[in-house]
Each structure stands twice: as structure tokens, then as C-alpha cells.
Amino acid sequence: MERRIRHGCGALALGLLLTVGCTAGGDEADDGSGGGEVLEAGEGDGLGIVLDADRLPVNRAQAVELAETIVARPETFGPGFVEVPDRDDDPGHWAVLDENCVWVRETVPDEVLASLTGYAELPAEEGAGPLGVTAVVTVHRDARSAEWQMAGTVEDALRCPDQQLRPDEWVSGLISLGMGFGEIGNFFAEDFLTETGSFHSGEAGGPHDFEWMRARLGPLTVAVSAKGAEGRTREEVTEAATRASGLMLSRAETELAGEPVGIDEGDGTDEGEGKKR
């Protein structure tokens, strides 16, 4: 059975423009009368993204394999980023914001198959400290569970504008903005949330710029956080987070749709190549 999500051609504008979802062509999506289930992700026009049910993970091993394919690698964030040694990377655990606004690691609930985290940084250089980034891919058993995760994230931001990330790291003054499909230019994900605030640490001091984004496509969510430092501009922080978010969504679409999204195969000429995202 296929799940079809209507997507349009859109851009994510958060300090810069990065096209993350632009499908080739402009015909209406199939109405699914061939037996597939049609789910509308907003009222956008354009070709649909077909999620192939046979490609959706049904156990932890499959979910981990999918997450490993999608999760941002150092180069995904931009030139010069390097990997930070793995920490807290057990796919059977994920980060939860507790009642005291402290992030803690807990075993994933039954409705989550796996949650994979990757860490990278742009090393310190003359006049600028290290820019730290984190990417998380979470694979749920179904889309409804992923929707609940997004809703819970919105509540967390309202409940805890100040949050403890690690014993020596925290963020303050978080401001969040949530967008459903078709809202405020969101034509790239079924749900999207962004938060901005100030990052502080015992080593790097602060306040420094902080950016966090989470997007949902079907039963999968991708999230990225970027932590600034002395000498790093807001544009650098935003670009790292936005770039990784867009590329992870693109990989997710490719993996779940069963074919590269945004490519018009056409007649095999070079013209189709220009329509890659």
C-alpha cells in the first residue's frame, strides 16, 4: 500500500534560503484510486511524494539501517566540519526533557523503533570558537506516533524556555515557531518546528547563538541543533542547521519514496539532471 503526500515546490527561509523540496513538473498527484491510501499533507499543489509501504521499517534493525542512511554526516553541515566521537548514540535510547527542564537519556517507548544521533563540529580557528552541531533521526512505528512527538516538542518549548543540555551546557530564552504543511512557506515537511535562543557553556561562556529544527515526513522525524561560539555569526549557525535539515529530508524522501525525489527521468538527456534538488 502506498501513502501519498502532496508536496509543492518550496524553500526554507531562516536567515538564508535553502531549497529543500522542489519536485519536478507540476501535474496534480494521482488520487490513489489504484488502491493506495491517499493522505493530504496540507493543501499544496504539485507532484506527490509516494511513501512505499514496503520501505517503511517494521523492526529495530530496519529502523537503524534507515536512520544510518539518513542521519547527517560531518560534511552535511558544510565544509570543514569534522566528526565528534560517538556519545549517547545507542539507537534504543533517546533524549527526553524531564519535569525540571533537563535533557536526559531514556529507553525509547514501544512506539519508537530507533533514534540515532550524530555529532560534529566546525573546529576552533583564529578568532572563532568551535561550532557544535547535533543531528537526530527518529523512526516511529507509524505516522501518528511521530505526530505526537512533534506536538510534544511544541509543548516542551512553551514549558521550558530555559533548558539544561548537559551538566556544563544550557540554552535560554527559547522562542519556537511551528508550521504545518503549507504554513509560512512549509512545503517540504508534514510538520516543521524551529527554535532559536542563547547557548551557554562552562567552557565557551555565552550567550551565543542557538538554532534547533525538527521536521516530520510520515513516521520519521529529523532534527538538528547548532550551537554557536565566540566569533561565530548567526548566519553560520543557521546555515549549518538549515543545510543539514534539508539534506536529511531529501535523503528521507529518497529512501521512503523508493526513488530520488525531484528528478524528472524524462528521455535520459541532461535536461532532467537540472531538476535534481
Side-chain angles (χ1 to χ4, degrees):
M1 180 173 65
E2 294 178 342
R3 294 182 63 245
R4 183 177 293 275
I5 301 171
R6 292 187 190 274
H7 275 231
C9 181
L12 171 58
L14 293 166
L16 73 162
L17 291 178
L18 175 68
T19 301
V20 297
C22 187
T23 55
D27 297 335
E28 270 303 302
D30 190 334
D31 64 5
S33 58
E37 178 186 0
V38 179
L39 299 182
E40 298 291 345
E43 300 299 326
D45 294 325
L47 292 175
I49 295 173
V50 181
L51 301 189
D52 185 348
D54 291 337
R55 288 177 173 264
L56 298 179
V58 297
N59 57 46
R60 176 160 297 174
Q62 293 176 357
V64 171
E65 182 178 5
L66 175 65
E68 287 177 340
T69 300
I70 294 171
V71 72
R73 301 166 182 84
E75 62 271 17
T76 308
F77 295 97
F81 279 85
V82 297
E83 184 176 4
V84 173
D86 292 344
R87 52 182 182 179
D88 302 334
D89 62 342
D90 180 356
H93 290 77
W94 67 349
V96 176
L97 190 64
D98 70 12
E99 60 183 12
N100 297 315
C101 299
V102 177
W103 285 97
V104 297
R105 300 286 295 181
E106 293 184 356
T107 302
V108 296
D110 290 341
E111 60 267 24
V112 174
L113 291 173
S115 186
L116 191 66
T117 304
Y119 304 90
E121 72 172 18
L122 187 60
E125 54 190 348
E126 184 176 357
L131 196 166
V133 288
T134 302
V136 183
V137 177
T138 302
V139 184
H140 296 253
R141 291 188 184 275
D142 53 46
R144 181 56 57 87
S145 173
E147 286 181 305
W148 277 108
Q149 183 192 19
M150 296 293 292
T153 301
V154 174
E155 294 177 359
D156 284 344
L158 294 174
R159 177 173 62 90
C160 298
D162 300 338
Q163 301 174 5
Q164 191 79 33
L165 304 180
R166 293 180 179 277
D168 63 341
E169 295 183 355
W170 67 98
V171 291
S172 63
L174 289 176
I175 299 175
S176 63
L177 176 64
M179 293 160 271
F181 179 82
E183 298 176 350
I184 320 180
N186 172 20
F187 293 100
F188 47 84
E190 293 187 80
D191 297 299
F192 180 76
L193 177 69
T194 180
E195 295 181 0
T196 58
S198 298
F199 171 70
H200 313 256
S201 77
E203 180 178 352
H208 305 299
D209 293 315
F210 177 81
E211 189 97 35
W212 182 89
M213 303 175 184
R214 172 171 280 159
R216 180 180 69 85
L217 182 64
L220 182 142
T221 66
V222 299
V224 176
S225 66
K227 302 175 292 188
E230 188 70 29
R232 298 296 181 183
T233 66
R234 175 171 291 278
E235 288 73 20
E236 287 180 290
V237 173
T238 300
E239 182 176 3
T242 305
R243 176 186 172 95
S245 294
L247 292 176
M248 286 199 295
L249 276 173
S250 181
R251 289 176 187 163
E253 292 171 0
T254 299
E255 292 299 316
L256 297 179
E259 61 182 14
V261 176
I263 299 178
D264 184 358
E265 295 181 357
D267 58 4
T269 64
D270 291 340
E271 181 180 359
E273 287 295 306
K275 297 182 179 180
K276 291 183 181 180
R277 66 180 64 255

